[in-house]
Structure formats: structure tokens, C-alpha cells
Amino acid sequence: MLSVAAMLFMAPASADTTDDTVISTLANQGIVITDRDTTIATAHQVCDGLDKHYKSAVLAVRLVRDTDLSLSQSSYFIGVAMSAYCPQYKARTGSTPGSRS
């Protein structure tokens, strides 16, 4: 499912309780996880994109384009990634001033 994203979002992933929580939270939402490491790497890439001031909405659309996630699933994925790996962005919306599109 997220194999295309793996090529775009390469980052080391290590198994820990945060990773386990991300995987289980996504699975509970009905998001099929075919490759744990790719999913975790993609979640970390969300934070990298936010660090570069990309809008969360833009990142969600990229996930839709590069995976088989729906827009709703992609948006949920972005929220889970932010909560788990970059909580400093939890309050951020897709319309912050100076954000890239």
C-alpha cells in the first residue's frame, strides 16, 4: 500500500511503543498496513514536511497521490503522525501563514 511512498520517504524506522501505537491506531481506522517499516518511515516524513513548512493538507494530498489511501485516510494518517512523532504541530492547520503549497 505505501510502497511508492517508501521510495519518496526513506527514513530509518525502529520498533518501539510509539511505532506500535501508530501502527495499531492506523489499523483500527481500517488503514491496511502491508509494510510496517514503510508506514513508520512515511509517518516520520510527514514531520519532515511540516519542518519544511508544508501545509498538512498538501502532505495529505501527496499521500493520496502516492498511495492507495483515500483523502480521509490520508488526513487521519497525517494527524496520527503529528500526534506520535511531532506533537509540536498538532495545533497546526493547513492554512498557517507562510506555509508552502
Side-chain angles (χ1 to χ4, degrees):
M1 169 162 108
L2 296 173
S3 60
V4 174
M7 290 182 249
L8 299 172
F9 305 129
M10 298 302 284
S14 61
D16 66 15
T17 57
T18 302
D19 294 348
D20 292 341
T21 300
V22 167
I23 295 299
S24 66
T25 301
L26 293 172
N28 287 340
Q29 186 65 22
I31 297 174
V32 177
I33 307 300
T34 57
D35 183 331
R36 176 188 169 90
D37 290 339
T38 298
T39 301
I40 298 303
T42 302
H44 283 285
Q45 188 60 35
V46 166
C47 297
D48 292 342
L50 293 169
D51 287 342
K52 294 175 184 170
H53 306 286
Y54 286 100
K55 295 178 184 178
S56 57
V58 169
L59 297 173
V61 169
R62 286 182 180 178
L63 277 176
V64 168
R65 183 189 64 206
D66 297 336
T67 68
D68 62 352
L69 295 176
S70 69
L71 184 57
S72 176
Q73 290 172 321
S74 177
S75 297
Y76 188 81
F77 187 101
I78 298 293
V80 170
M82 284 192 288
S83 292
Y85 301 117
C86 48
Q88 69 272 25
Y89 295 118
K90 281 179 17 177
R92 182 176 173 170
T93 65
S95 61
T96 54
S99 297
R100 293 183 182 176
S101 49

